[in-house]
Amino acid sequence: MNLQALIEDIRQQVLPFYDQGRVADYIPALASVAPHQFGLAICTLDGEHYACGDAATPFSIQSISKAFMLALTLQAEGETLWRHVGKEPSGNPFNSLVQLEYEHGIPRNPFINAGALVVTDRAIRHFGAAHGRLLDWLRAESGAPRLSANEQIAASEREHGDRNAALAHFMKSYGNLDHPVEQVLDQYFHNCSIEMSCSQLARAALFLANHGLSPNTAQQYLSRSQAKQVNAVMLTCGTYDAAGEFAYRVGLPVKSGVGGGLLAVIPGKMSIAAWSPQLDRRGNSVLGLEALDRFTTRTGLSIF
Ligand code: GLN
């Protein structure tokens, strides 16, 4: 199969979907991104790399950071992490408050904002500077030593972060946050504000396709079982209240972010990153979903 020709063709097929979604504007600094951009990159475990469109353009990874932060924290903490955060799909938007009260401050899963705040809090306990640890790790894995957070976006998130602050305070009232709310939010916003390209993201995610072992650095970050756990939670929770639609149309573990990125894993084979900033009403990239749907449908490469 000629994957390069395939992704070029998919790009042509999805470009007509421009303007069916909207760039996220609840974080004002994200709203200024040029809307008509699309990139797709693939890294295979055989060492092949395929890319097309704007695959080399850095964008705000936003909630895709949650998948990497989960992996690093799971590596440090192990099973007891799941006492603080669940692993069930929420069926609710990523920033919803409603379930938290019924469920006594234990978020449904690590990929909704509440869950990622808890994971960040645990990461602070293990690493001190959770954001610094994540950044160093991403730099090594993506082979891009100058990766960093966009301070302007981090500041914009903080300024408009009342809902995340509410989630954090609420969980603290249940004793499910050890560190001061301000500290956890600051680390979380910086993680979300990291900028990476599709090519860099696909490369950094290879360990999830390779049962926890990174082909980039030869490090075993997760056990085979833990890599399976992270992929499973990505499949069921990685795209929030659209996880069912993604499983149905794409059939892969996927993590999305409101910067318009989608990161997908084909265990045993490859990782794929798609990006286009216009989002559907559930906060997932319109062109990204169209592209991943076509990729798995045309190649037959899905976990099902
Ligand atoms: N930084 C964003 C927020 O906290 C991340 C949301 C997302 O990408 N789904 O709201």
Side-chain angles (χ1 to χ4, degrees), residues 26-27 30 60-66 94-95 111-113 117 153 157 160-161 163-164 167 188-189 191-193 238 240 255-260 279 282-284:
Y26 75 103
I27 300 168
L30 283 181
S60 192
I61 68 170
Q62 291 295 315
S63 287
I64 296 174
S65 63
K66 292 171 179 158
F94 58 82
N95 54 8
F111 293 151
I112 52 174
N113 288 9
L117 288 164
I153 292 178
E157 293 210 38
H160 299 268
R163 188 174 272 262
N164 284 321
L167 292 166
Y188 168 82
F189 291 142
N191 288 346
C192 292
S193 305
Y240 319 113
K255 185 72 207 82
S256 68
V258 292
L279 310 178
R282 295 191 281 206
N284 299 311

Side-chain angles (χ1 to χ4, degrees), residues 89-106:
S90 70
N92 277 311
F94 58 82
N95 54 8
S96 171
L97 282 145
V98 292
Q99 276 162 349
L100 265 187
E101 180 154 31
Y102 299 126
E103 298 179 358
H104 312 291
I106 310 287

Side-chain angles (χ1 to χ4, degrees), residues 93-154:
F94 58 82
N95 54 8
S96 171
L97 282 145
V98 292
Q99 276 162 349
L100 265 187
E101 180 154 31
Y102 299 126
E103 298 179 358
H104 312 291
I106 310 287
R108 272 285 171 105
N109 67 65
F111 293 151
I112 52 174
N113 288 9
L117 288 164
V118 167
V119 172
T120 305
D121 180 67
R122 304 301 300 169
I124 294 171
R125 160 184 276 244
H126 295 290
F127 308 125
H131 170 63
R133 172 81 177 96
L134 177 63
L135 205 51
D136 287 344
W137 185 90
L138 286 171
R139 286 171 175 161
E141 281 300 319
S142 64
R146 288 205 296 274
L147 282 188
S148 61
N150 179 322
E151 289 297 336
Q152 206 192 332
I153 292 178

